[in-house]
Structure formats: C-alpha cells, structure tokens
Tab-separated table of all heavy atoms in Angstrom:
chain	number	residue	atom	x	y	z
P	132	ASN	N	0.845	-1.204	0.000
P	132	ASN	CA	0.000	0.001	0.000
P	132	ASN	C	0.872	1.244	0.000
P	132	ASN	O	0.754	2.112	0.874
P	132	ASN	CB	-0.924	-0.005	1.218
P	132	ASN	CG	-1.932	-1.109	1.174
P	132	ASN	OD1	-2.944	-1.011	0.507
P	132	ASN	ND2	-1.653	-2.208	1.867
P	133	GLU	N	1.723	1.342	-0.978
P	133	GLU	CA	2.685	2.442	-1.071
P	133	GLU	C	1.982	3.801	-1.066
P	133	GLU	O	0.910	3.967	-1.639
P	133	GLU	CB	3.472	2.285	-2.368
P	133	GLU	CG	4.820	2.946	-2.345
P	133	GLU	CD	5.639	2.561	-3.554
P	133	GLU	OE1	5.735	1.368	-3.854
P	133	GLU	OE2	6.173	3.486	-4.164
P	134	GLY	N	2.591	4.757	-0.387
P	134	GLY	CA	2.062	6.112	-0.349
P	134	GLY	C	0.991	6.346	0.698
P	134	GLY	O	0.419	7.433	0.757
P	135	LYS	N	0.701	5.370	1.506
P	135	LYS	CA	-0.303	5.501	2.566
P	135	LYS	C	0.373	5.742	3.905
P	135	LYS	O	1.554	5.492	4.073
P	135	LYS	CB	-1.151	4.223	2.662
P	135	LYS	CG	-1.852	3.831	1.389
P	135	LYS	CD	-2.997	4.743	1.096
P	135	LYS	CE	-3.777	4.238	-0.114
P	135	LYS	NZ	-4.821	5.165	-0.504
P	136	GLU	N	-0.392	6.252	4.856
P	136	GLU	CA	0.067	6.355	6.237
P	136	GLU	C	-0.614	5.241	7.021
P	136	GLU	O	-1.780	4.936	6.786
P	136	GLU	CB	-0.284	7.718	6.824
P	136	GLU	CG	0.521	8.827	6.200
P	136	GLU	CD	0.493	10.098	7.042
P	136	GLU	OE1	-0.092	10.092	8.140
P	136	GLU	OE2	1.060	11.080	6.578
P	137	PHE	N	0.123	4.637	7.950
P	137	PHE	CA	-0.372	3.471	8.674
P	137	PHE	C	-0.433	3.739	10.165
P	137	PHE	O	0.487	4.330	10.733
P	137	PHE	CB	0.536	2.258	8.409
P	137	PHE	CG	0.620	1.925	6.954
P	137	PHE	CD1	1.606	2.482	6.168
P	137	PHE	CD2	-0.299	1.080	6.375
P	137	PHE	CE1	1.685	2.204	4.818
P	137	PHE	CE2	-0.232	0.796	5.024
P	137	PHE	CZ	0.755	1.354	4.242
P	138	TYR	N	-1.506	3.265	10.790
P	138	TYR	CA	-1.727	3.443	12.212
P	138	TYR	C	-2.144	2.123	12.840
P	138	TYR	O	-2.798	1.301	12.191
P	138	TYR	CB	-2.822	4.479	12.459
P	138	TYR	CG	-2.503	5.835	11.884
P	138	TYR	CD1	-2.847	6.161	10.577
P	138	TYR	CD2	-1.833	6.785	12.646
P	138	TYR	CE1	-2.547	7.403	10.052
P	138	TYR	CE2	-1.527	8.033	12.123
P	138	TYR	CZ	-1.886	8.336	10.826
P	138	TYR	OH	-1.581	9.560	10.308
P	139	MET	N	-1.774	1.960	14.096
P	139	MET	CA	-2.183	0.785	14.862
P	139	MET	C	-2.477	1.219	16.297
P	139	MET	O	-1.861	2.165	16.794
P	139	MET	CB	-1.087	-0.279	14.870
P	139	MET	CG	-0.781	-0.851	13.504
P	139	MET	SD	0.420	-2.190	13.557
P	139	MET	CE	-0.622	-3.512	14.181
P	140	ILE	N	-3.382	0.510	16.937
P	140	ILE	CA	-3.687	0.731	18.346
P	140	ILE	C	-3.511	-0.606	19.042
P	140	ILE	O	-4.097	-1.609	18.632
P	140	ILE	CB	-5.115	1.267	18.543
P	140	ILE	CG1	-5.277	2.595	17.807
P	140	ILE	CG2	-5.426	1.418	20.024
P	140	ILE	CD1	-6.696	3.106	17.770
P	141	VAL	N	-2.665	-0.638	20.093
P	141	VAL	CA	-2.333	-1.880	20.774
P	141	VAL	C	-2.525	-1.691	22.279
P	141	VAL	O	-2.105	-0.673	22.840
P	141	VAL	CB	-0.864	-2.291	20.483
P	141	VAL	CG1	-0.515	-3.586	21.188
P	141	VAL	CG2	-0.617	-2.407	18.977
P	142	ASN	N	-3.138	-2.669	22.905
P	142	ASN	CA	-3.275	-2.652	24.354
P	142	ASN	C	-1.881	-2.622	24.968
P	142	ASN	O	-1.023	-3.425	24.594
P	142	ASN	CB	-4.047	-3.888	24.823
P	142	ASN	CG	-4.355	-3.864	26.293
P	142	ASN	OD1	-3.499	-3.588	27.127
P	142	ASN	ND2	-5.597	-4.168	26.620
P	143	GLU	N	-1.642	-1.714	25.908
P	143	GLU	CA	-0.303	-1.563	26.474
P	143	GLU	C	0.165	-2.793	27.251
P	143	GLU	O	1.348	-2.944	27.517
P	143	GLU	CB	-0.212	-0.315	27.355
P	143	GLU	CG	-0.989	-0.389	28.650
P	143	GLU	CD	-0.817	0.862	29.498
P	143	GLU	OE1	-0.015	1.737	29.142
P	143	GLU	OE2	-1.505	0.951	30.520
P	144	ASN	N	-0.739	-3.707	27.591
P	144	ASN	CA	-0.360	-4.943	28.274
P	144	ASN	C	0.037	-6.050	27.302
P	144	ASN	O	0.508	-7.101	27.726
P	144	ASN	CB	-1.512	-5.424	29.171
P	144	ASN	CG	-1.806	-4.448	30.281
P	144	ASN	OD1	-0.895	-3.839	30.839
P	144	ASN	ND2	-3.067	-4.276	30.599
P	145	ASN	N	-0.163	-5.843	26.021
P	145	ASN	CA	0.151	-6.847	25.007
P	145	ASN	C	1.598	-6.642	24.546
P	145	ASN	O	1.868	-6.151	23.461
P	145	ASN	CB	-0.831	-6.742	23.838
P	145	ASN	CG	-0.717	-7.883	22.872
P	145	ASN	OD1	0.264	-8.632	22.873
P	145	ASN	ND2	-1.718	-8.012	22.020
P	146	THR	N	2.537	-7.054	25.391
P	146	THR	CA	3.957	-6.783	25.132
P	146	THR	C	4.474	-7.479	23.881
P	146	THR	O	5.295	-6.923	23.159
P	146	THR	CB	4.827	-7.179	26.343
P	146	THR	OG1	4.570	-8.539	26.673
P	146	THR	CG2	4.529	-6.296	27.543
P	147	SER	N	3.989	-8.680	23.577
P	147	SER	CA	4.474	-9.373	22.379
P	147	SER	C	4.035	-8.646	21.116
P	147	SER	O	4.809	-8.529	20.162
P	147	SER	CB	4.017	-10.828	22.364
P	147	SER	OG	2.616	-10.915	22.400
P	148	SER	N	2.831	-8.123	21.096
P	148	SER	CA	2.368	-7.362	19.931
P	148	SER	C	3.144	-6.050	19.801
P	148	SER	O	3.524	-5.654	18.694
P	148	SER	CB	0.872	-7.074	20.038
P	148	SER	OG	0.410	-6.452	18.861
P	149	ILE	N	3.403	-5.406	20.915
P	149	ILE	CA	4.168	-4.149	20.890
P	149	ILE	C	5.563	-4.399	20.333
P	149	ILE	O	6.060	-3.622	19.505
P	149	ILE	CB	4.210	-3.510	22.294
P	149	ILE	CG1	2.816	-2.987	22.665
P	149	ILE	CG2	5.252	-2.393	22.354
P	149	ILE	CD1	2.676	-2.537	24.090
P	150	LYS	N	6.203	-5.503	20.728
P	150	LYS	CA	7.534	-5.837	20.200
P	150	LYS	C	7.484	-6.021	18.687
P	150	LYS	O	8.353	-5.540	17.959
P	150	LYS	CB	8.081	-7.107	20.853
P	150	LYS	CG	8.530	-6.917	22.273
P	150	LYS	CD	9.002	-8.237	22.866
P	150	LYS	CE	9.288	-8.112	24.347
P	150	LYS	NZ	9.657	-9.409	24.939
P	151	GLY	N	6.471	-6.718	18.184
P	151	GLY	CA	6.333	-6.936	16.746
P	151	GLY	C	6.071	-5.663	15.982
P	151	GLY	O	6.619	-5.444	14.899
P	152	VAL	N	5.245	-4.788	16.545
P	152	VAL	CA	4.924	-3.512	15.907
P	152	VAL	C	6.178	-2.637	15.825
P	152	VAL	O	6.465	-2.038	14.785
P	152	VAL	CB	3.787	-2.802	16.683
P	152	VAL	CG1	3.605	-1.378	16.241
P	152	VAL	CG2	2.493	-3.585	16.539
P	153	LEU	N	6.935	-2.581	16.918
P	153	LEU	CA	8.178	-1.795	16.915
P	153	LEU	C	9.191	-2.376	15.931
P	153	LEU	O	9.848	-1.633	15.192
P	153	LEU	CB	8.778	-1.759	18.324
P	153	LEU	CG	7.993	-0.967	19.367
P	153	LEU	CD1	8.570	-1.204	20.760
P	153	LEU	CD2	7.975	0.516	19.036
P	154	LYS	N	9.301	-3.698	15.899
P	154	LYS	CA	10.241	-4.357	14.990
P	154	LYS	C	9.901	-4.064	13.530
P	154	LYS	O	10.789	-3.986	12.682
P	154	LYS	CB	10.232	-5.868	15.245
P	154	LYS	CG	11.266	-6.636	14.476
P	154	LYS	CD	11.252	-8.111	14.860
P	154	LYS	CE	12.297	-8.885	14.101
P	154	LYS	NZ	12.282	-10.308	14.460
P	155	ALA	N	8.614	-3.891	13.236
P	155	ALA	CA	8.173	-3.626	11.865
P	155	ALA	C	8.323	-2.165	11.457
P	155	ALA	O	8.027	-1.816	10.322
P	155	ALA	CB	6.722	-4.059	11.693
P	156	GLY	N	8.775	-1.293	12.368
P	156	GLY	CA	9.037	0.092	12.003
P	156	GLY	C	7.995	1.096	12.458
P	156	GLY	O	8.005	2.244	12.020
P	157	PHE	N	7.086	0.706	13.344
P	157	PHE	CA	6.106	1.643	13.888
P	157	PHE	C	6.678	2.297	15.149
P	157	PHE	O	7.507	1.707	15.843
P	157	PHE	CB	4.814	0.911	14.254
P	157	PHE	CG	3.984	0.509	13.075
P	157	PHE	CD1	4.324	-0.590	12.304
P	157	PHE	CD2	2.861	1.235	12.729
P	157	PHE	CE1	3.562	-0.977	11.219
P	157	PHE	CE2	2.081	0.859	11.646
P	157	PHE	CZ	2.430	-0.243	10.884
P	158	ILE	N	6.221	3.522	15.434
P	158	ILE	CA	6.635	4.214	16.652
P	158	ILE	C	5.381	4.677	17.404
P	158	ILE	O	4.371	5.024	16.795
P	158	ILE	CB	7.546	5.428	16.355
P	158	ILE	CG1	6.852	6.424	15.436
P	158	ILE	CG2	8.862	4.991	15.757
P	158	ILE	CD1	7.522	7.773	15.359
P	159	PRO	N	5.430	4.668	18.734
P	159	PRO	CA	4.271	5.166	19.490
P	159	PRO	C	4.201	6.685	19.412
P	159	PRO	O	5.217	7.364	19.394
P	159	PRO	CB	4.568	4.700	20.919
P	159	PRO	CG	6.044	4.501	20.982
P	159	PRO	CD	6.488	4.160	19.596
P	160	PHE	N	2.964	7.212	19.328
P	160	PHE	CA	2.809	8.664	19.304
P	160	PHE	C	1.767	9.159	20.308
P	160	PHE	O	1.674	10.355	20.554
P	160	PHE	CB	2.479	9.177	17.891
P	160	PHE	CG	1.088	8.852	17.415
P	160	PHE	CD1	0.033	9.723	17.634
P	160	PHE	CD2	0.851	7.677	16.726
P	160	PHE	CE1	-1.236	9.431	17.184
P	160	PHE	CE2	-0.414	7.376	16.256
P	160	PHE	CZ	-1.467	8.252	16.499
P	161	ALA	N	1.003	8.245	20.915
P	161	ALA	CA	-0.007	8.681	21.881
P	161	ALA	C	-0.423	7.512	22.768
P	161	ALA	O	-0.156	6.352	22.461
P	161	ALA	CB	-1.218	9.254	21.151
P	162	LYS	N	-1.080	7.867	23.884
P	162	LYS	CA	-1.714	6.901	24.778
P	162	LYS	C	-3.178	7.285	24.886
P	162	LYS	O	-3.531	8.462	24.776
P	162	LYS	CB	-1.076	6.934	26.169
P	162	LYS	CG	0.299	6.345	26.242
P	162	LYS	CD	0.780	6.320	27.678
P	162	LYS	CE	2.137	5.631	27.745
P	162	LYS	NZ	2.551	5.455	29.145
P	163	GLY	N	-4.022	6.270	25.138
P	163	GLY	CA	-5.439	6.577	25.253
P	163	GLY	C	-6.223	5.448	25.875
P	163	GLY	O	-5.663	4.495	26.399
P	164	HIS	N	-7.536	5.554	25.782
P	164	HIS	CA	-8.441	4.574	26.369
P	164	HIS	C	-9.656	4.406	25.464
P	164	HIS	O	-9.810	5.133	24.482
P	164	HIS	CB	-8.881	5.024	27.766
P	164	HIS	CG	-9.803	6.211	27.738
P	164	HIS	ND1	-9.350	7.502	27.542
P	164	HIS	CD2	-11.147	6.291	27.837
P	164	HIS	CE1	-10.374	8.336	27.552
P	164	HIS	NE2	-11.479	7.632	27.727
P	165	LYS	N	-10.522	3.457	25.817
P	165	LYS	CA	-11.812	3.319	25.149
P	165	LYS	C	-12.850	4.018	26.006
P	165	LYS	O	-12.897	3.834	27.217
P	165	LYS	CB	-12.192	1.851	24.979
P	165	LYS	CG	-11.519	1.157	23.839
P	165	LYS	CD	-12.118	-0.233	23.666
P	165	LYS	CE	-11.445	-0.989	22.570
P	165	LYS	NZ	-12.024	-2.341	22.421
P	166	ASN	N	-13.702	4.802	25.367
P	166	ASN	CA	-14.728	5.515	26.126
P	166	ASN	C	-15.986	4.660	26.293
P	166	ASN	O	-16.021	3.489	25.910
P	166	ASN	CB	-15.037	6.874	25.486
P	166	ASN	CG	-15.723	6.758	24.134
P	166	ASN	OD1	-16.172	5.689	23.719
P	166	ASN	ND2	-15.799	7.874	23.435
P	167	PHE	N	-17.020	5.261	26.834
P	167	PHE	CA	-18.288	4.586	27.106
P	167	PHE	C	-18.877	3.959	25.841
P	167	PHE	O	-19.525	2.931	25.888
P	167	PHE	CB	-19.273	5.590	27.721
P	167	PHE	CG	-20.632	5.028	27.978
P	167	PHE	CD1	-20.864	4.192	29.062
P	167	PHE	CD2	-21.691	5.320	27.122
P	167	PHE	CE1	-22.120	3.674	29.298
P	167	PHE	CE2	-22.952	4.787	27.355
P	167	PHE	CZ	-23.168	3.968	28.445
P	168	PHE	N	-18.645	4.588	24.682
P	168	PHE	CA	-19.190	4.114	23.413
P	168	PHE	C	-18.252	3.132	22.713
P	168	PHE	O	-18.413	2.834	21.547
P	168	PHE	CB	-19.490	5.298	22.497
P	168	PHE	CG	-20.466	6.258	23.088
P	168	PHE	CD1	-20.042	7.463	23.608
P	168	PHE	CD2	-21.816	5.944	23.151
P	168	PHE	CE1	-20.939	8.349	24.170
P	168	PHE	CE2	-22.721	6.824	23.712
P	168	PHE	CZ	-22.292	8.027	24.231
P	169	ASN	N	-17.218	2.651	23.439
P	169	ASN	CA	-16.244	1.687	22.933
P	169	ASN	C	-15.402	2.279	21.795
P	169	ASN	O	-14.973	1.562	20.903
P	169	ASN	CB	-16.933	0.391	22.495
P	169	ASN	CG	-16.004	-0.793	22.601
P	169	ASN	OD1	-15.104	-0.823	23.437
P	169	ASN	ND2	-16.198	-1.768	21.752
P	170	ARG	N	-15.191	3.579	21.827
P	170	ARG	CA	-14.355	4.248	20.839
P	170	ARG	C	-13.038	4.653	21.495
P	170	ARG	O	-12.989	5.006	22.667
P	170	ARG	CB	-15.046	5.492	20.289
P	170	ARG	CG	-16.291	5.125	19.519
P	170	ARG	CD	-16.555	6.073	18.430
P	170	ARG	NE	-17.654	5.597	17.608
P	170	ARG	CZ	-18.450	6.370	16.957
P	170	ARG	NH1	-18.278	7.673	16.999
P	170	ARG	NH2	-19.407	5.869	16.228
P	171	TYR	N	-11.978	4.599	20.695
P	171	TYR	CA	-10.650	4.949	21.199
P	171	TYR	C	-10.517	6.461	21.299
P	171	TYR	O	-10.896	7.201	20.391
P	171	TYR	CB	-9.566	4.397	20.273
P	171	TYR	CG	-9.510	2.897	20.264
P	171	TYR	CD1	-10.147	2.162	19.280
P	171	TYR	CD2	-8.827	2.204	21.263
P	171	TYR	CE1	-10.097	0.772	19.261
P	171	TYR	CE2	-8.780	0.820	21.256
P	171	TYR	CZ	-9.420	0.120	20.249
P	171	TYR	OH	-9.367	-1.242	20.252
P	172	VAL	N	-9.977	6.908	22.426
P	172	VAL	CA	-9.791	8.332	22.700
P	172	VAL	C	-8.328	8.548	23.086
P	172	VAL	O	-7.777	7.799	23.888
P	172	VAL	CB	-10.694	8.784	23.859
P	172	VAL	CG1	-10.469	10.241	24.207
P	172	VAL	CG2	-12.152	8.520	23.518
P	173	ILE	N	-7.710	9.585	22.519
P	173	ILE	CA	-6.329	9.920	22.896
P	173	ILE	C	-6.340	10.760	24.160
P	173	ILE	O	-7.047	11.769	24.239
P	173	ILE	CB	-5.613	10.678	21.749
P	173	ILE	CG1	-5.360	9.732	20.579
P	173	ILE	CG2	-4.303	11.276	22.244
P	173	ILE	CD1	-4.691	10.371	19.392
P	174	ASP	N	-5.568	10.324	25.157
P	174	ASP	CA	-5.422	11.070	26.402
P	174	ASP	C	-4.172	11.909	26.422
P	174	ASP	O	-4.146	12.980	26.997
P	174	ASP	CB	-5.381	10.109	27.600
P	174	ASP	CG	-6.663	9.320	27.754
P	174	ASP	OD1	-7.755	9.877	27.490
P	174	ASP	OD2	-6.591	8.138	28.144
P	175	GLN	N	-3.120	11.388	25.793
P	175	GLN	CA	-1.810	12.041	25.890
P	175	GLN	C	-1.004	11.749	24.636
P	175	GLN	O	-0.854	10.608	24.221
P	175	GLN	CB	-1.080	11.489	27.118
P	175	GLN	CG	0.347	11.907	27.246
P	175	GLN	CD	1.051	11.144	28.369
P	175	GLN	OE1	0.530	10.203	28.940
P	175	GLN	NE2	2.255	11.568	28.667
C-alpha cells in the first residue's frame, strides 16, 4: 500500500504485539483509552 500512512492501536499490556509492531518500524505517538461508546480516545 505504497504512499499511505499506517496506524495501529495496541493494548499496552500486550507486550508481544508491541515488540512486533516496533520491529516492523512503527513508533508510538499517543496513549489513550476506550470511552463509554467503545471508541478509542487519545489522552496524551
């Protein structure tokens, strides 16, 4: 998917997934939670 921007959201307790995401070239840019409506919200 050349020319696209890619995003992922990973539970901070899922250390094996975080290792794989970092190994593939992703970097963290925010922290957040799921709200009452089960939607992801950026806190920081």
Side-chain angles (χ1 to χ4, degrees):
N132 294 280
E133 204 170 311
K135 303 287 186 185
E136 291 197 4
F137 301 91
Y138 300 89
M139 296 184 76
I140 300 172
V141 180
N142 186 313
E143 69 178 354
N144 296 323
N145 190 344
T146 55
S147 59
S148 185
I149 290 171
K150 287 178 187 176
V152 169
L153 291 171
K154 186 176 181 180
F157 286 77
I158 58 166
F160 72 91
K162 288 185 176 187
H164 70 282
K165 281 187 182 179
N166 68 11
F167 177 77
F168 301 104
N169 207 29
R170 295 211 173 151
Y171 293 97
V172 177
I173 290 179
D174 297 324
Q175 171 189 9

